[in-house]
Amino acid sequence: MEVKTIDDFYRDTSLLVPAEINREVGHFNVFQIADLIAIRARKGGSEMPYNRRAYYKISLICGRNRAEYADKVIEIETNALLFATPKIPYHYYPLDDQQSGSFCVFTDAFMVPSKSGVVLDDLPIYQPGSVPVFQVSDEETEQIRYIFNKMQKELASDYAFKYDLLRTYVLELIHFGQKLQPATSLYPTHTASSRISSLFVELLERQFPIESPRQQLRLRTAKEYAGQLAVHVNHLNKVLKAQTGKTTTEIISNRIVQEAKILLKQTDWSVSEISNSLGFEEVAHFSNFFRKQTELSPVAFRA
């Protein structure tokens, strides 16, 4: 499945890419949801264009919406504060045309610990299994809207240290969210199994393609995928077996073999480099794995 990058986001929304997008500060920007909806309407689309992302996003959502995770569905009836991370996939659906609010997008490079003082993925709000959607009152909505307004004003300023200040505002939103209780409108649905299966595949595909020998698979085992999706490994295996006829390990192995074949045929990387990028500690382990799956050694397949 396609993963939306920052560049994809700007291309899909017809917005101009800021000059600073790839500078050493990382990337940060803030938007009004109504403006994005208007742009999508002019382009003939209605869905929000950032469901699958390779960046962080914090949103103040005003309107009826639904967020679907691997193990839960969260209904948003009025106002909510939503935190999205590239490492935890989810689907987000507006349920009516009365949508407003604000959101900011930023890369991990923007919030690098040496600048922000925090490691984003160590924060409770970004942990697998957390529920990063918070229903907020009208008073809280105004407080959050005030922070977003500060972001927009500062982003337009010529203050030399504005990005340091913007990082402070991002942290203000994060701490605001962590002090709230998570939304409680969770319920099981008859589509829970298909949703887990879909999100597993999305998480799997986010690791590919391997584009450099220095790139490594982050997730390799069924247990690691289950942990990222916040479901028990046995439940994930049961769901995938019922949906696909294959175990979690079989699906992961098949995708790794597929990528290995591409790298062997379409790159000049050594077998050792390919082995390492696919997460094998020893070349011999990779060779045995590949032979078991294809009945050929990597060298023989490449010939």
Side-chain angles (χ1 to χ4, degrees):
M1 293 186 180
E2 186 180 4
V3 178
K4 294 295 185 181
T5 65
I6 283 285
D7 294 286
D8 293 330
F9 169 79
Y10 284 99
R11 184 164 51 251
D12 289 347
T13 56
S14 302
L15 294 168
L16 293 176
V17 181
E20 300 97 335
I21 190 168
N22 290 317
R23 291 184 181 175
E24 69 275 5
V25 296
H27 177 69
F28 174 88
N29 212 339
V30 61
F31 304 92
Q32 294 295 318
I33 288 177
D35 294 341
L36 267 292
I37 290 176
I39 291 172
R40 294 295 294 176
R42 289 197 297 270
K43 294 179 67 176
S46 59
E47 294 186 6
M48 303 300 280
Y50 29 82
N51 286 344
R52 299 175 183 138
R53 60 203 57 79
Y55 47 88
Y56 293 85
K57 180 159 71 84
I58 303 177
S59 306
L60 171 62
I61 302 168
C62 301
R64 291 186 60 247
N65 295 270
R66 183 172 68 245
E68 296 189 353
Y69 294 80
D71 61 337
K72 58 183 73 74
V73 176
I74 301 176
E75 292 285 346
I76 300 169
E77 292 299 332
T78 52
N79 306 324
L81 185 60
L82 184 149
F83 295 82
T85 163
K87 295 179 175 60
I88 302 178
Y90 77 100
H91 299 295
Y92 167 73
Y93 303 96
L95 298 179
D96 61 30
D97 296 328
Q98 305 302 311
Q99 301 290 319
S100 63
S102 304
F103 68 93
C104 62
V105 295
F106 54 93
T107 59
D108 52 0
F110 180 73
M111 294 295 288
V112 66
S114 61
K115 295 285 189 180
S116 67
V118 300
V119 178
L120 284 176
D121 293 338
D122 288 347
L123 294 172
I125 208 162
Y126 288 126
Q127 293 301 302
S130 66
V131 185
V133 181
F134 304 90
Q135 306 279 13
V136 292
S137 66
D138 289 343
E139 180 181 353
E140 289 166 334
T141 297
E142 289 307 311
Q143 293 172 359
I144 297 167
R145 183 174 285 123
Y146 176 67
I147 298 173
F148 276 110
N149 288 341
K150 289 194 297 183
M151 286 178 168
Q152 288 192 303
K153 182 178 180 180
E154 198 57 51
L155 192 60
S157 78
D158 56 3
Y159 179 49
F161 300 98
K162 68 179 180 181
Y163 290 108
D164 292 327
L165 194 50
L166 286 166
R167 290 185 190 93
T168 301
Y169 295 154
V170 170
L171 288 173
E172 189 174 356
L173 284 175
I174 289 173
H175 288 299
F176 194 107
Q178 288 184 160
K179 290 166 66 177
L180 296 171
Q181 292 297 313
T184 56
S185 53
L186 312 180
Y187 59 89
T189 73
H190 68 283
T191 61
S193 293
S194 60
R195 187 169 63 254
I196 291 173
S197 179
S198 172
L199 291 173
F200 165 79
V201 171
E202 180 175 337
L203 188 59
L204 176 65
E205 288 300 326
R206 282 188 177 187
Q207 301 201 91
F208 302 98
I210 302 294
E211 297 176 322
S212 164
R214 294 182 298 276
Q215 181 182 345
Q216 267 195 330
L217 292 187
R218 186 173 57 85
L219 304 173
R220 275 290 312 278
T221 68
K223 185 176 181 179
E224 289 171 338
Y225 277 93
Q228 202 66 37
L229 293 168
V231 298
H232 193 279
V233 64
N234 292 342
H235 182 59
L236 177 62
N237 197 58
K238 180 180 178 181
V239 165
L240 294 177
K241 185 72 173 178
Q243 292 278 323
T244 70
K246 298 178 180 178
T247 66
T248 311
T249 299
E250 287 173 335
I251 295 172
I252 296 169
S253 296
N254 289 345
R255 186 60 183 90
I256 291 175
V257 167
Q258 177 186 341
E259 193 69 13
K261 289 178 177 180
I262 293 171
L263 296 176
L264 287 166
K265 288 292 189 181
Q266 298 183 10
T267 74
D268 59 0
W269 304 354
S270 69
V271 173
S272 176
E273 288 175 322
I274 294 173
S275 169
N276 182 66
S277 68
L278 292 175
F280 293 88
E281 295 182 357
E282 302 288 342
V283 176
H285 295 165
F286 170 62
S287 295
N288 291 336
F289 167 82
F290 192 85
R291 187 187 295 273
K292 181 179 179 181
Q293 298 289 327
T294 67
E295 299 184 350
L296 291 172
S297 70
V299 174
F301 179 84
R302 172 173 264 178

